[in-house]
Amino acid sequence: MVDGRPEWAPSVVEKDGYIIANPRAARLRAAGYREVVYPEGPVPENTRAVYEDAGACIRVRYEPLPAVVVGYEERVEALIRERYTVSDELAILRQRDTRPAELDVYNAFCEACKRRAKELGNG
């Protein structure tokens, strides 16, 4: 294993001067590579693989992904991005003198996003 992950076995090995493409598991084991054993069934959603050294093989188990903590600013930005790209925002701000009504709509939407982000709070 390298940095907690299995080392990839080569797709080509050489034996007695010959190149063997796509070697069988027995030949790879003889070369020191170990089988990676996965649990049966589909991979659960929102998990990550954890590789454990089990001597003759490497066992895989799945553990839940750590919860992502999103702050107020990130929530506000995500809500704004549902309607406006950064380019949209820059265009609105650049044209604020010639299109003040569009700026008013944008500002009202941003304030609504801020209120919604506060409502979402710690949830």
Side-chain angles (χ1 to χ4, degrees):
M1 291 202 337
V2 177
D3 295 326
R5 300 190 61 87
E7 181 179 358
W8 285 100
S11 60
V12 174
V13 294
E14 190 173 326
K15 181 173 175 145
D16 300 328
Y18 293 96
I19 293 177
I20 301 170
N22 204 12
R24 295 177 184 219
R27 187 165 307 280
L28 290 172
R29 279 193 295 278
Y33 290 92
R34 295 180 288 164
E35 180 180 10
V36 178
V37 179
Y38 290 88
E40 290 187 24
V43 176
E45 290 187 28
N46 300 317
T47 60
R48 66 180 177 136
V50 177
Y51 300 91
E52 298 172 334
D53 190 338
C57 65
I58 297 171
R59 294 214 177 271
V60 179
R61 66 179 170 81
Y62 296 102
E63 65 180 30
L65 291 172
V68 177
V69 178
V70 178
Y72 169 76
E73 291 82 10
E74 290 87 0
R75 274 194 195 96
V76 171
E77 184 172 357
L79 291 167
I80 292 171
R81 290 292 159 261
E82 290 177 6
R83 182 176 296 175
Y84 296 100
T85 65
V86 173
S87 295
D88 293 337
E89 288 183 290
L90 291 172
I92 290 167
L93 294 172
R94 206 174 39 251
Q95 299 169 17
R96 67 183 170 268
D97 294 331
T98 57
R99 299 174 80 176
E102 193 173 346
L103 180 63
D104 291 340
V105 170
Y106 166 75
N107 283 332
F109 179 75
C110 289
E111 291 303 317
C113 289
K114 290 165 65 175
R115 284 191 301 277
R116 179 72 178 131
K118 285 180 184 175
E119 290 171 9
L120 293 172
N122 298 325

